[in-house]
């Protein structure tokens, strides 16, 4: 049995800025504690104030250094910042802890900074179910900016971009040339592009290529946000003010043009659906846990059932009539 | 109204090796055609023979070139090969079409090769619902090997790895050093590592680092598969035979040790759940389409409802009683 939780006290403490309470709430989210619905309901009246900023980019571009430098700039401006390093690669936590330790030390002792990594190891809803709840905790705790950083490569940048109000894509010279950038699909998800390590050879080419491709996109739909391309050297702080400026400008633009609301609505649809699927799974599998789902899958593998029929059976046995009726 | 489809004839033609029939079936999958459940049911008795091989890696490592060179080697051995270039970045198709044209030309006129890209633009189930059906089509059509290639960066390598029997991770010198590789999370998903462009500087370091990390993992759990690290130069075909050998060896190992069955079961659970969620969504939203889900999300955003309560309402209104009762 999980330990009982005094949700009202915990939420009150988190709202007063107690880091331990915030950390505990996120652990409860990560563990999919039975009190989670109560926690989320208690947070509900207090959310919506934070600017959620996604930071994505391939390994080696200096994403962690950039995050840390941005935290310093935001803190210097008096803003409270939470960093949530998310790893959508479900069962693996990889280098998140290492990265945490390195960065913790830099901002240690600063009450206005909260850094936490989260692997979506939960078996129920995955990242799409847990990350939004963690963001709600940080939002309700009064952080002005929540930086969502992807950990590692191959983690779905797109998934993280969907969670954010503003999506920052970090590149380094040599990666950003023409076709490669288009192929990478990053043009579509980035609202702010950062060319880090811009003191290195090839930076001019990368910046020029990105600017050209961004303006190409712009020409066809004139009312779209035109993503700025910022040159940066995160190690010495170069460009960090410009990134913060660009991120703030995007939020203002997005609020004015209605994009922010649409985006948050889509994000909430994703969240509701992930939670509904988790509910469906719980009802179907019941006390037998994963075994019943496995047995159903085995029937499909054995050729006795097709997957659509299996999905119908899952819905029926969870209490629904056929999905195709 | 979608055009009616003669499913039995189409499936029969695909099984006889008619490329047009295969292509049409995959289009129907991609379009989420109403006949899809009938198609999947008709394919069911004929699947299970193909070896599904995932190919992932960051942009610039030469993934497409490697895929194409592998196709040549597999064809020379008389094996029929299908390439499915998947782009999990939901709404965007990115560079898939360009890549297709380039590679098509190389294997044009070869009946034993089928190349197709697929964006998971479907609004119902996304990649996790559609890719398994596309794999079923290729499997039933008698392809010996189905190569699943990820398009672009930031697409979930993990998601693709979950779809495959064997997962090949392609790297290039300069990317694979120690912490970076661990951080990238690729050590966990790769069953075969390929260091492409291994004639370049730094290849020895990359190979050595990878081998060391792979053997570290091995030491703790002695009965695990030890992923081979293959040096390759895809442009001139170096190493391609070794990759095919390693992939075949993994399949044999996986079949012998039961990993294959467990993996295919997990994959089928994912598929069934994605289809069930699609069914749930259809029942909830009905003719009002996405609007009802949007309205529910808006209530959450306005603070009148928390997301768990919204998920309960989705389940209830789709015909289920509360997920928490």
């Amino acid at each position: 049995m999980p330990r009982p939780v005094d949700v009202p006290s915990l939420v009150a403490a988190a709202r007063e800025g107690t880091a331990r309470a915030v950390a505990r709430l996120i652990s409860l989210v990560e563990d999919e504690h039975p009190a989670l619905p109560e926690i989320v309901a208690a947070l509900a009246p207090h959310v919506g104030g934070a600017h959620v900023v996604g930071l994505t980019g391939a390994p080696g571009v200096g994403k962690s250094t950039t995050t840390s430098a941005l935290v310093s700039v935001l803190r210097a401006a008096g803003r409270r910042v939470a960093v949530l390093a998310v790893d959508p690669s479900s069962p693996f936590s990889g280098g998140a802890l290492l990265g945490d330790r390195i960065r913790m030390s830099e901002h240690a002792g600063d009450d206005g900074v909260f850094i936490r990594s989260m692997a979506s190891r939960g078996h129920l809803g995955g990242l799409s179910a847990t990350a939004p709840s963690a963001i709600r905790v940080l939002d309700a705790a009064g952080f002005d900016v929540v930086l969502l950083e992807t950990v590692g490569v191959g983690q779905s940048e797109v998934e993280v971009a969907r969670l954010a109000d503003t999506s920052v894509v970090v590149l380094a010279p040599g990666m950003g040339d023409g076709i490669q950038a288009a192929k990478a699909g990053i043009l579509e998800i980035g609202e702010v592009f950062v060319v880090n390590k811009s003191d290195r050879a090839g930076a001019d080419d990368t910046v020029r290529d990105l600017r050209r491709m961004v303006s190409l996109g712009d020409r066809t739909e004139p009312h779209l946000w035109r993503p700025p391309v910022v040159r940066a050297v995160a190690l010495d702080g170069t460009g960090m003010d410009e990134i913060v400026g660009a991120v703030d400008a995007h939020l203002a633009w997005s609020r004015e043009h209605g994009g922010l609301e649409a985006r948050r609505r889509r994000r909430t649809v994703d969240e509701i659906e992930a939670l509904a699927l988790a509910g469906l799974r719980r009802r179907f599998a019941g006390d037998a846990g994963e075994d019943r789902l496995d047995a159903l899958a085995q029937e499909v593998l054995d050729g006795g059932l097709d997957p659509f029929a299996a999905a119908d059976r899952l819905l029926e046995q969870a209490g629904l009539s056929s999905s195709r009726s």
Side-chain angles (χ1 to χ4, degrees), chain A residues 257-280:
Chain A
H257 292 80
L260 182 66
E261 205 178 335
R263 200 159 169 159
R264 289 185 169 177
R265 203 183 304 118
R266 191 186 59 178
R267 192 158 92 200
T268 309
V269 166
D270 288 348
E271 183 183 7
I272 294 169
E273 289 189 340
L275 295 172
L277 181 59
L280 194 63

Side-chain angles (χ1 to χ4, degrees), chain A residues 40-47:
Chain A
V40 170
L43 297 171
H46 311 295
V47 299

